[in-house]
Every structure is written in C-alpha cells, then in structure tokens.
Amino acid sequence: MSFVAEFDALPLEALQKRSSSATTANVRDALAKPRLTLAGFAELISPAASELLEPLCRRSQTLTRQRFGKVMRLFAPLYLSNECINNCKYCGFSRDNPILRVTLTVDEVVREARALKEQGFRNLLLVAGEHPKFVSKDYLVECVRALHHEIPGVSLEVGPMKTEDYRPIILAGADGLVVYQETYDRAVYAEMHAAGPKRNFEWRMETAERAYAAGFRRLGIGALFGLADWRLEALAVAAHADYLLRNCWKAQLTISLPRLRPCAGEFMPLTRMTDRELVQLVCAFRLMFPDAGLVLSTREPAKLRDGLIPLGITLMSAGSHTEPGGYTGAGKDHLHQTVRGKIVELGASEWATPGSVGRASSRAGSSTAQQNLATNATGQFDIADARSPREVADLIRRLGYEPVWKDWDAALTA
Ligand code: SF4
C-alpha cells in the first residue's frame, strides 16, 4: 500500500481536534512517553504544549545529542536552472512570472560546485525547476557524473520523475532525493498549483517511494509552512515520515520545515507560524523521530537559526544563493526572459543590464564584489540569513558543536 492510501485513511480531523483540545496534563503524559504515536505528536504541537516549551526543548536537546552527538552537518543548494513549466502561486520560478532565467551548462555547474568546495562544502543539493526540455534526465546524469568525483555527497531537489529515470542518476553518483509535498491539504494544493504537471497531488506524494525503489538511500520530505494550517501540515508530514521509516527503512530520512519567504510574484503567506511555534515543531519532530535528520535552511533569520542549533536541527544550509549561477556568476551570458512561459529577447530592456534587476541576487546586502559575481538570474526566494558559510561554521563552533562539511560515507549506508 502506498502512502497515498494511508494518507487518505488518516484521521487528520480527529488528530487536529486532539491537538486543539489537549491539556497541559496530556502534554506532560506525552512528554513522559519513551515512544510517541501520532496522537502524542498531536499533543506536543498543541497550543497547550506551548506552555511547556522548556521541558520539550530539553528533551529534544538530550535526544539529539544522544543520537547525533554535538555536530551540525552543513550543505549548500546549487541551483542548476530556474526554468519551470509549473505555476505555483508561491514560487518565484513560476512559469508565468516574467523573470530572467537560465539553465547552467555542465561546465558551469562544475564551476559553481568548485566555488562551494573552496568554501568547505562536500555535500551539495542540486536544485532545479521542473522543465523536461532544459532539466532532462540526461542533463541531470551529466551534472551528477561531473561532480561525483569531487563532491562526495550529491542530492537532488528536482521535479518528480519515474523510478526508471532515477536509476541512471543514482548510478552517476547521486545518493539523496528531496521532495516537499508543499501542502498536504488537497484543496489548498489544487488552488496553489494552477497549471503544469505538479497539479498531480498523488504523483508528487509517491515520489519518495519511487526514489527509494530506484535506490536512493537518503530521502527528504517536508511541507512549505504558510499555505495551510501548520498543525495539519505537521501531522501529515509526521504520518508520511512514519510511513517511510516503516516501508523504506534502508534509507536515511530528513524532514525540512521551510516557512514561506518573499519571492518574485509577491505571494503573501496564507497562514502564519510564529518563531515559537517553529521551535515547538522542531522539538516535537525530534521526540517523534529520534533518528531523523531535521533540516533548517537560510530562509530563517540568523538569530533563530542560532537558537535552534542546540535544540534538534542536524543539517543546515549556509551562504545560500537561490538563483542559478549565484556563487560564481556562471550563466550570465546566456540568460533569457520569459513572459507567460515564452522566451523573449532581452534586447535593450532594463533586464539586460547587469545590476539593474531588483531581485538579481537573493543575498541581502551583497557587497560590490559579490554583485560583480551575480548572475542576474532571478532567485527562487529571498533568504534571511546572509552570513557566509565560514561565519556560520564559526558560530557553530562557539556553541560547542562541530561543523561537518561532508555527509556520511556511502559505505556506511550501503
Ligand atoms: S515550486 Fe518548483 S515546481 Fe513550482 S514553480 Fe517553483 S520551481 Fe517550479
């Protein structure tokens, strides 16, 4: 049975109700349990549990140290392309957004990866919009093959593919696949994904299972917080993670908790999740899944990220750019603009002038030197923590943790 069938049978409303009506006594009981069910998880993310955030944080911290030690793994996203055939209302890369687009050549991808390697990274996440013409299976195979010998950890966050299409990418050296459901609320999902293959909710939901069947040994899931009620999303992510741990047990699982950030198109979040609620959710996930990796990106501000380091997060991005070519300026000579999905000549328009585009770089406060490196392609979203990888690593050390740039050896998970 796939997760879709389990998901459709989930008593989500009852779990939501259990969460909203939980008392502090229920939360204390859940906190004392050695192993949580979804019902206990619902209680830990309840409004009542907010009053017990301190003991929740303490348990999460203890468990994280027991299972992972005092280390923080670091990774960087490497955007290959911002072409996309989908219209997702919340995303800067949406097909109908009139933005500057580019797909990096394989050589440019290697250039970007080497720049990240110089900064210390040995674990990269290759990210691309969904566009079979520009971001084909063969293109991904070439990118991974070109990076494999220099970068030991290569994962992908790209449009969902068939099992057989994942296999050559794995053979080329990729070991992880990340796919967020975005929202587990079917009605909101239908509203947010107005056009393109991403409208298929079930196909996306089964992606992690297809990836596992193909041989990926690291799977990442998550929801984009800001589209539907955060507790409902969290319950669905927890159910999904539980399914994957039971059925795809050879894989390491990571859970991401991204909150919506400003992007081209100026979409405003539909729902709110406060910083305090994010902290509560990180800790609840840790108690529910003691061995799952919990991921935090540069979408969150520096101060909050620093506070979360000792509480349950195990994998962080740093110094991220969300535009292709953002680390070296690669691709700036073959940019194009699209209007409603169609390529238009840049000509003498303002888009053609380097530095004239408001969202040319997603790094707030970029220096002149950084602007000279800017690709001018549009980023997926604005980031909130603009510190360099070195600064983040130094901070991790000051907190008594060891920054780890390389992921675990493939030999350990084979
Ligand atoms: S969220 Fe992904 S699929 Fe949707 S528009 Fe952005 S890049 Fe494309």
Side-chain angles (χ1 to χ4, degrees):
M1 182 161 78
S2 86
F3 177 61
V4 172
E6 262 196 42
F7 175 75
D8 286 340
L10 265 182
L12 271 179
E13 263 183 41
L15 287 164
Q16 255 184 312
K17 206 164 162 202
R18 186 170 186 130
S19 184
S20 59
S21 60
T23 63
T24 49
N26 297 140
V27 178
R28 283 186 207 283
D29 284 349
L31 270 172
K33 283 184 182 141
R35 207 179 147 74
L36 281 179
T37 59
L38 266 185
F41 179 78
E43 286 161 353
L44 290 191
I45 61 171
S46 67
S50 172
E51 292 166 38
L52 295 168
L53 193 55
E54 266 194 57
L56 180 56
C57 287
R58 274 200 302 275
R59 275 238 32 223
S60 175
Q61 183 177 51
T62 305
L63 263 178
T64 309
R65 284 190 187 167
Q66 279 172 358
R67 304 300 175 121
F68 294 87
K70 288 184 81 177
V71 297
M72 181 61 63
R73 288 152 59 206
L74 292 168
F75 76 100
L78 194 171
Y79 278 71
L80 308 175
S81 171
N82 58 358
E83 309 281 355
C84 197
I85 53 172
N86 290 306
N87 259 339
C88 307
K89 288 190 179 168
Y90 49 82
C91 177
F93 293 171
S94 270
R95 187 190 70 190
D96 287 351
N97 280 348
I99 62 166
L100 290 179
R101 302 189 189 253
V102 69
T103 301
L104 301 184
T105 65
V106 176
D107 285 348
E108 288 168 343
V109 171
V110 171
R111 213 168 106 200
E112 290 273 285
R114 285 185 180 150
L116 288 165
K117 193 177 172 190
E118 281 275 297
Q119 296 182 44
F121 291 106
R122 300 292 184 272
N123 185 17
L124 300 184
L125 177 66
L126 308 186
V127 187
E130 184 167 357
H131 202 305
K133 188 173 140 206
F134 293 99
V135 187
S136 65
K137 171 197 71 182
D138 293 343
Y139 168 76
L140 292 171
V141 167
E142 280 185 56
C143 289
V144 172
R145 191 175 289 138
L147 298 182
H148 179 51
H149 294 293
E150 299 193 39
I151 306 290
V154 178
S155 296
L156 298 172
E157 186 180 343
V158 298
M161 295 163 72
K162 295 183 206 150
T163 302
E164 60 265 33
D165 287 345
Y166 284 134
R167 290 201 174 104
I169 300 173
I170 296 167
L171 279 176
D175 55 3
L177 190 94
V178 174
V179 62
Y180 303 151
Q181 188 61 27
E182 319 292 18
T183 174
Y184 287 79
D185 183 314
R186 280 180 186 271
V188 177
Y189 189 95
E191 196 194 325
M192 289 298 109
H193 303 103
K198 195 168 174 179
R199 286 184 62 73
N200 191 334
F201 181 89
E202 287 84 6
W203 174 254
R204 190 167 188 86
M205 192 172 256
E206 289 175 342
T207 304
E209 292 158 61
R210 292 194 304 277
Y212 180 73
F216 277 112
R217 286 298 171 259
R218 288 193 287 141
L219 301 174
I221 61 167
L224 189 52
F225 292 94
L227 297 177
D229 174 74
W230 74 263
R231 290 187 173 90
L232 180 132
E233 302 285 26
L235 285 161
V237 172
H240 198 173
D242 183 55
Y243 173 91
L244 293 174
L245 288 170
R246 279 184 279 117
N247 292 279
C248 306
W249 53 272
K250 284 188 199 162
Q252 293 177 347
L253 183 70
T254 57
I255 299 170
S256 301
L257 308 98
R259 290 191 293 183
L260 260 172
R261 291 284 304 153
C263 67
E266 311 301 340
F267 180 83
M268 293 303 291
L270 305 176
T271 59
R272 186 157 182 265
M273 177 197 228
T274 64
D275 290 355
R276 190 179 170 88
E277 287 166 342
L278 178 64
V279 173
Q280 181 181 353
L281 182 56
V282 167
C283 297
F285 270 129
R286 172 55 63 227
L287 266 60
M288 178 84 184
F289 304 111
D291 296 310
L294 295 181
V295 187
L296 194 65
S297 78
T298 52
R299 286 171 182 264
E300 299 300 340
K303 207 168 155 208
L304 179 60
R305 277 172 34 105
D306 297 352
L308 279 166
I309 287 172
L311 296 184
I313 297 297
T314 55
L315 186 61
M316 291 175 96
S317 52
S320 304
H321 278 268
T322 69
E323 71 278 22
Y327 301 106
T328 64
K332 63 169 29 161
D333 52 354
H334 54 105
L335 288 170
H336 59 262
Q337 192 191 353
T338 57
V339 173
R340 297 191 68 77
K342 299 254 177 343
I343 294 177
V344 295
E345 288 303 320
L346 289 179
S349 85
E350 58 163 347
W351 295 87
T353 311
S356 66
V357 183
R359 289 183 187 277
S361 166
S362 62
R363 298 289 301 278
S366 299
S367 68
T368 309
Q370 281 171 322
Q371 281 166 13
N372 288 339
L373 287 180
T375 170
N376 267 12
T378 306
Q380 190 177 28
F381 53 84
D382 292 350
I383 62 166
D385 182 355
R387 289 175 298 180
S388 71
R390 190 57 53 198
E391 286 172 301
V392 173
D394 288 346
L395 186 277
I396 290 169
R397 276 191 211 94
R398 281 205 299 281
L399 291 174
Y401 284 69
E402 185 61 32
V404 175
W405 300 88
K406 179 176 180 289
D407 218 315
W408 312 115
D409 269 310
L412 297 177
T413 55

